[in-house]
Amino acid sequence: MKVVVTGGLGFIGSHTVVELYRQGFEVVIVDNLSNSSIDVLTGIEKIIGIKPVFEQIDLRDKTVVTAFFEKHNDITGVIHFAASKAVGESVENPLLYYENNIASLVYLLQELQKKKESYFIFSSSCTVYGQAENMPITECASVQPAMSPYGNTKRIGEEIITDVTKVSGINAILLRYFNPIGAHETAEIGELPVGVPQNLVPFITQTAIGIRKELSVYGDDYPTADGTCIRDYIHVVDLAKAHVVALQRLIDHKNESKVEVFNVGTGKGSSVLEVIRTFEKVSGKPLPYKIVGRREGDIIEAYANTDRANQILGWKAELTLEEALGAAWKWEQKVRNI
């Protein structure tokens, strides 16, 4: 089956492309390279042994999206990653986020709606839960008002998909994932943020290798065991495999409703200081850090209840925090030629 992966040269997208090929799918990668590098295509090729089909297009251009689906008229499956994802930037430039994250989604769904049957996997986020009242977070937890335009685009995106599936042949799975980290075991692909990293682990690896002076820990006065925020950190390869399993579920018509929702995480929360100590252990590198004030918008803790994904989707995270941080460190060293 032919599948399009939007944002397929990004961090999660590139790893998903690899897993799709390993399961026998034919893949077309779509990316506008605004937050990724064409070099990732070479990394994918080194892993899978062939060069995937790549189309550099901007999904915000409706005519371009229509032309793409006319060219690749045998595509019935879409895994949609292409989106802007920096919370701070979304607060500063909300219209950029609404255009990029919502318009592109609408144009893709308009093309899929023309088909008798199609399958759509949406890259959603645990941000839709806000600060959930109970841990671990189940899919039954209420969707909270978004704390940023980025978070709002994920909530709105889920609502758009749900509405469209009611009146079309589109079947969809919304994957609400937690905190992806790590890199491929080959160190051929990994997380490569543009500019200053917005996420914890690439900031850790860049600090360890000397690019950043020190790591800032935003607050140590939260009501947690060590005072720092708790998150569910999932290895990107496990996350990539979840997308393939979800797509296969739709293809096999095993979905119980037109739209299904699954949390994708490990089910275990780790504090910022725990992640730092674990990295120091696996890398053998001391990590300079300082405690600074809380960051606006940060929630206290968020980790997944993964029972539904484990039992119904038939997927489970297998790789550990140690393995993820070790892979991220190996990737950082490869990128810096060390």
Side-chain angles (χ1 to χ4, degrees):
M1 180 178 173
K2 197 174 186 181
V3 180
V4 61
V5 179
T6 73
L9 296 185
F11 177 40
I12 307 169
S14 59
H15 288 81
T16 302
V17 168
V18 168
E19 297 305 322
L20 285 166
Y21 268 98
R22 286 184 167 167
Q23 294 303 317
F25 287 92
E26 182 183 353
V27 181
V28 180
I29 298 172
V30 166
D31 205 299
N32 68 359
L33 300 180
S34 63
N35 197 34
S36 57
S37 169
I38 192 64
D39 295 338
V40 177
L41 197 61
T42 303
I44 294 172
E45 183 180 4
K46 287 180 179 178
I47 296 171
I48 65 176
I50 59 173
K51 189 172 186 177
V53 176
F54 169 62
E55 298 267 7
Q56 183 178 347
I57 65 172
D58 193 328
L59 296 174
R60 293 174 297 183
D61 188 328
K62 180 179 171 64
T63 58
V64 168
V65 176
T66 299
F68 171 83
F69 276 89
E70 288 174 351
K71 178 181 178 181
H72 299 279
N73 57 16
D74 52 345
I75 284 174
T76 53
V78 174
I79 301 182
H80 184 43
F81 296 106
S84 301
K85 62 181 183 65
V87 171
E89 183 185 47
S90 77
V91 174
E92 296 169 4
N93 195 348
L95 287 179
L96 170 69
Y97 273 65
Y98 287 116
E99 179 190 33
N100 198 36
N101 296 6
I102 301 301
S104 59
L105 172 64
V106 169
Y107 299 153
L108 285 168
L109 292 173
Q110 284 176 335
E111 295 306 316
L112 289 181
Q113 191 173 223
K114 297 174 184 177
K115 300 177 181 293
K116 183 178 180 181
E117 185 175 45
S118 58
Y119 316 110
F120 194 81
I121 309 298
F122 183 58
S123 167
S124 193
S125 168
C126 64
T127 59
V128 300
Y129 297 119
Q131 178 58 72
E133 294 181 4
N134 300 305
M135 293 293 144
I137 302 170
T138 71
E139 290 85 353
C140 294
S142 59
V143 172
Q144 301 291 334
M147 300 178 73
S148 70
Y150 160 71
N152 204 29
T153 64
K154 291 302 181 184
R155 181 186 63 81
I156 294 169
E158 288 193 359
E159 293 173 352
I160 291 170
I161 294 164
T162 301
D163 288 342
V164 172
T165 58
K166 293 175 183 175
V167 294
S168 70
I170 300 172
N171 289 270
I173 289 180
L174 315 176
L175 295 181
R176 292 174 178 166
Y177 32 90
F178 284 67
N179 294 67
I181 61 171
H184 197 266
E185 61 183 2
T186 61
E188 294 295 348
I189 55 175
E191 188 168 9
L192 193 61
V194 176
V196 179
Q198 300 286 326
N199 298 325
L200 176 61
V201 172
F203 211 109
I204 284 176
T205 59
Q206 288 189 13
T207 301
I209 213 158
I211 294 174
R212 309 290 166 193
K213 179 183 176 183
E214 60 186 359
L215 175 73
S216 293
V217 176
Y218 296 101
D220 65 349
D221 57 349
Y222 287 96
T224 61
D226 62 20
T228 62
C229 293
I230 291 174
R231 299 289 183 270
D232 187 336
Y233 296 95
I234 177 172
H235 198 301
V236 66
V237 173
D238 277 333
L239 179 56
K241 290 178 179 178
H243 290 79
V244 182
V245 171
L247 179 62
Q248 193 64 57
R249 177 176 173 81
L250 294 181
I251 293 169
D252 294 340
H253 300 103
K254 291 182 177 179
N255 49 309
E256 297 169 358
S257 57
K258 293 278 285 181
V259 179
E260 293 183 320
V261 179
F262 296 97
N263 285 338
V264 187
T266 66
K268 179 180 182 296
S270 300
S271 73
V272 174
L273 289 181
E274 284 176 328
V275 174
I276 290 172
R277 294 189 191 104
T278 304
F279 176 81
E280 290 178 327
K281 176 183 173 183
V282 300
S283 68
K285 301 272 293 184
L287 198 68
Y289 69 89
K290 65 177 178 180
I291 306 295
V292 298
R294 292 187 181 190
R295 183 171 54 185
E296 186 178 353
D298 274 347
I299 58 176
I300 301 166
E301 60 180 346
Y303 57 97
N305 179 311
T306 60
D307 290 348
R308 181 172 161 79
N310 299 163
Q311 297 164 12
I312 298 176
L313 190 59
W315 167 92
K316 187 173 184 178
E318 298 175 344
L319 298 166
T320 65
L321 178 63
E322 288 83 358
E323 288 171 311
L325 291 171
W329 178 232
K330 182 180 177 183
W331 162 249
E332 186 71 50
Q333 292 172 299
K334 167 81 179 299
V335 170
R336 310 304 169 187
N337 297 313
I338 295 175

